[in-house]
Amino acid sequence: THEAVCKQEQHLKQLREQVATQLRPKSQALEALERRAVEIKERLRISDGVACQLFELKCHLQEMGRSVQRREHAIEQLKRQQDVERSRRATLHKKLEFAAADLSAARQVDAGTLWSG
């Protein structure tokens, strides 16, 4: 009958509205979750980039530390060499003073010999 068909159509319409009403929050929640997933992926991508930069900086810092150690070692070697050279110069200076004194004494002896002879 026509009345039964109308009732069924009315009932189907109510069921459709009910399903749509129930699905709408779930669909909105799903969209929110999808947006959140995109945000998390972007943060992970940025985090990976930062992690790579941090690793590169750490490697650079380690290399700089090794470079500083090499320089400090070279500076210490140069200081030791300078100390050795300073000591050698002092020794040579003393020897020159003694030689000059001996030469002066020898000249005085020669001059005395020349005057007395």
Side-chain angles (χ1 to χ4, degrees):
T1 69
H2 180 66
E3 193 176 308
V5 170
C6 282
K7 280 186 178 182
Q8 284 182 345
E9 284 179 357
Q10 185 66 28
H11 185 63
L12 281 174
K13 183 180 176 184
Q14 287 174 347
L15 286 175
R16 281 189 200 113
E17 287 175 1
Q18 193 177 22
V19 166
T21 303
Q22 290 174 355
L23 286 180
R24 193 172 303 124
K26 291 179 183 176
S27 143
Q28 291 171 345
L30 181 60
E31 288 173 5
L33 285 174
E34 287 173 345
R35 283 192 302 272
R36 182 76 175 129
V38 168
E39 289 172 9
I40 290 172
K41 283 181 185 178
E42 180 64 14
R43 285 184 180 178
L44 280 172
R45 185 188 66 75
I46 291 170
S47 176
D48 286 345
V50 169
C52 288
Q53 289 176 345
L54 283 174
F55 179 74
E56 288 174 9
L57 286 173
K58 182 180 175 184
C59 291
H60 181 68
L61 183 61
Q62 288 174 343
E63 180 56 35
M64 293 301 292
R66 286 189 291 269
S67 178
V68 167
Q69 285 177 340
R70 285 191 299 268
R71 267 193 216 120
E72 287 176 351
H73 181 70
I75 288 169
E76 289 302 316
Q77 281 183 321
L78 286 172
K79 285 180 179 179
R80 284 192 296 274
Q81 287 175 355
Q82 285 177 339
D83 289 344
V84 168
E85 289 300 317
R86 208 173 282 122
S87 176
R88 285 181 186 163
R89 279 196 308 269
T91 302
L92 285 175
H93 189 10
K94 288 286 183 191
K95 287 181 180 179
L96 282 173
E97 285 178 2
F98 290 137
D102 288 346
L103 183 59
S104 177
R107 282 187 182 152
Q108 286 177 358
V109 168
D110 285 345
T113 309
L114 286 175
W115 291 113
S116 54

